[in-house]
Amino acid sequence: GESVGLHLPTLSVQEGDNSIINCAYSNSASDYFIWYKQESGKGPQFIIDIRSNMDKRQGQRVTVLLNKTVKHLSLQIAATQPGDSAVYFCAENNGPNNAGNMLTFGGGTRLMVKP
Amino acid sequence: ETGVTQSPTHLIKTRGQQVTLRCSSQSGHNTVSWYQQALGQGPQFIFQYYREEENGRGNFPPRFSGLQFPNYSSELNVNALELDDSALYLCASSSWGQGSYEQYFGPGTRLTVT
């Protein structure tokens, strides 16, 4: 079936470096994607989203890139900080009428920031 | 914080029992979705409620059921609990039909079935 997956289960970076977390999706009909951050013992926290009519979207220290040709999504975190340590999930919308209310999540990438 | 609250935070049940989990959505949101997150995995969609009716369901058996109330809060009920039901149960609220697709998650309820 359709799924969202991640290339790297664990990513370790030095504080201050940039981080890149990757995600592959298989449902070419998906038109909305979200990145979530989940810290231990907490629910997923919305980071940034992107619709399929865009290829790049920037937030505060984060950038999401979407390559529809190869069905690839990435999250870039600039100047990674210890507080960025968490598990990151990408999710795609597969709800009716592109409502964005039913999400399929990938398995997650753990980001570890070394001081 | 998202404004989405869930209760209880932790729960221990034995196999065969029934459980009810509760969720209060963020102010202004009309849709609640429930997800199951097993340890070390991503959340899996259970079902969604909009205008007090089920509005979509994932691959979960009928012993998983829910309700949404006029104030948009919601309950998840699980009957005949199995060991594999042990997981973090997350609810997420959103505003379907209002131009925003963002979903905001609560902190979850950790269910342990023994």
Side-chain angles (χ1 to χ4, degrees), chain A residues 25 30 33 51-55 66-72:
Chain A
Y25 65 95
S30 293
F33 304 89
R51 301 191 186 189
S52 60
N53 60 353
M54 303 172 69
D55 53 19
L66 175 63
N67 186 330
K68 294 182 289 294
T69 302
V70 295
K71 288 184 273 187
H72 184 266

Side-chain angles (χ1 to χ4, degrees), chain A residues 32-51:
Chain A
Y32 177 64
F33 304 89
I34 313 174
W35 281 101
Y36 283 95
K37 171 187 179 183
Q38 188 173 26
E39 297 173 286
S40 181
K42 297 184 179 181
Q45 175 189 352
F46 176 93
I47 301 174
I48 192 168
D49 60 0
I50 190 168
R51 301 191 186 189

Side-chain angles (χ1 to χ4, degrees), chain B residues 27-96:
Chain B
S27 177
H29 286 180
N30 57 15
T31 304
V32 173
S33 303
W34 286 92
Y35 293 82
Q36 180 194 67
Q37 185 176 23
L39 197 61
Q41 298 182 20
Q44 289 198 339
F45 176 75
I46 303 174
F47 45 54
Q48 176 186 91
Y49 277 83
Y50 172 67
R51 290 186 175 177
E52 302 177 48
E53 293 192 357
E54 189 178 289
N55 186 43
R57 189 178 186 93
N59 189 26
F60 281 81
R63 60 190 184 83
F64 285 78
S65 63
L67 287 171
Q68 186 181 31
F69 301 99
N71 65 355
Y72 305 123
S73 65
S74 177
E75 287 183 355
L76 164 65
N77 300 289
V78 187
N79 294 321
L81 284 166
E82 301 177 0
L83 296 179
D84 285 348
D85 294 334
S86 294
L88 181 68
Y89 287 85
L90 297 160
C91 77
S93 75
S94 54
S95 299
W96 195 22

Side-chain angles (χ1 to χ4, degrees), chain B residues 20 22 26 28 39 53-54 102:
Chain B
T20 297
R22 296 177 175 83
Q26 183 168 304
L39 197 61
E53 293 192 357
E54 189 178 289
E102 295 176 15

